[in-house]
Amino acid sequence: EYTPLVQIQSWSDVPSGVALFESLLIFQNTFLDVLQAEIGSLTISKIHTEDSTNYPLTINVIPGVELCLKASYDVRCFHKNKINRI
């Protein structure tokens, strides 16, 4: 079932205007490095994606031969050294 975050927040003790979440963890379930599409004589390969969120910290977990972690963060909230430690 789908429930909007604004509805969930109204049920919680978190005041309106205060973020419910300060971080986001995304586990990719596609292998973008090897993903290809063939449509008739058209072939699509080497797909590159860019993600952005409004969260101070977002970590993408990308499976593959080796597990890859990519962190994006708000520099007003985190120093690069802290992100490297994470």
Side-chain angles (χ1 to χ4, degrees):
E1 183 176 330
Y2 173 78
T3 303
L5 284 178
V6 71
Q7 182 66 42
I8 293 169
Q9 187 160 19
S10 73
W11 297 332
S12 75
D13 292 332
V14 178
S16 179
V18 175
L20 279 175
F21 306 102
E22 294 180 351
S23 61
L24 181 64
L25 176 67
I26 302 168
F27 191 89
Q28 300 288 344
N29 61 357
T30 58
F31 296 93
L32 295 179
D33 291 344
V34 296
L35 185 63
Q36 289 190 351
E38 292 187 24
I39 306 165
S41 62
L42 175 66
T43 300
I44 301 171
S45 62
K46 296 184 180 180
I47 298 169
H48 175 76
T49 62
E50 283 288 326
D51 296 320
S52 65
T53 70
N54 60 334
Y55 297 100
L57 175 62
T58 302
I59 297 178
N60 278 286
V61 180
I62 304 161
V65 174
E66 293 182 352
L67 194 63
C68 177
L69 298 176
K70 291 185 178 181
S72 58
Y73 59 96
D74 186 336
V75 296
R76 296 171 295 180
C77 300
F78 296 96
H79 189 273
K80 184 178 181 178
N81 291 342
K82 183 176 262 188
I83 296 299
N84 287 336
R85 285 194 313 267
I86 292 173

